[in-house]
Amino acid sequence: MEWVGGCHCGAIRYVASGEPQHHAICHCDDCRRWSGAPMMGWIAFPQDAVTIDGEPATYASSEFGSRNFCAACGTGLFYRNARMLPGIIDIQSGTLDRPGDAAPQAQIMVKDRLEWAPTIAALPAFALYPGMDG
């Protein structure tokens, strides 16, 4: 199977081949601050199973971890950590062209999960922004 995706502006595209090693929702402080979102999805593949078209910028987010993003539009794309995840590239699953094809199997770093996150399913849900016509 091929997993295809890219950044918001299209300057960077990628293809991951085969089955992912995992797909998890991460609640860590580092991912939250990097993304500006309360949680992030990460889908992992062996580095040699991923081809990248375009040149992502790199930010060293920790001593061992680096995050890649599009310098043109700012979309976060990849995470690598040779110490914790040798040979693995984590892809932000929200950047897949078909993100609904891969349901997460776990939540990780729940020690950092925002207090309200477990109750999100109980919130009112709207098909569109409230007050917008379809």
Side-chain angles (χ1 to χ4, degrees):
M1 177 166 200
E2 285 192 336
W3 304 82
V4 180
C7 68
H8 190 261
C9 73
I12 299 173
R13 299 289 297 159
Y14 62 81
V15 176
S17 299
E19 289 302 310
Q21 294 192 348
H22 72 257
H23 183 196
I25 301 299
C26 184
H27 293 277
C28 80
D29 291 331
D30 195 42
C31 284
R32 184 169 41 253
R33 291 193 179 280
W34 166 253
S35 68
M39 60 198 78
M40 287 184 62
W42 291 108
I43 189 166
F45 293 89
Q47 282 186 192
D48 60 1
V50 179
T51 58
I52 300 168
D53 183 25
E55 291 296 324
T58 301
Y59 167 66
S61 60
S62 68
E63 182 180 356
F64 300 103
S66 66
R67 296 174 184 269
N68 298 123
F69 62 96
C70 176
C73 68
T75 302
L77 294 162
F78 313 114
Y79 176 78
R80 300 167 210 236
N81 186 319
R83 182 174 166 196
M84 288 179 42
L85 303 166
I88 300 296
I89 182 169
D90 255 336
I91 299 172
Q92 288 190 26
S93 57
T95 66
L96 290 166
D97 289 351
R98 297 174 45 115
D101 286 354
Q105 298 105 357
Q107 295 182 64
I108 58 174
M109 298 300 293
V110 295
K111 71 176 188 61
D112 293 338
R113 183 170 56 192
L114 297 174
E115 298 80 24
W116 53 261
T119 65
I120 197 165
L123 294 173
F126 303 91
L128 298 172
Y129 189 84
M132 291 184 72
D133 293 328

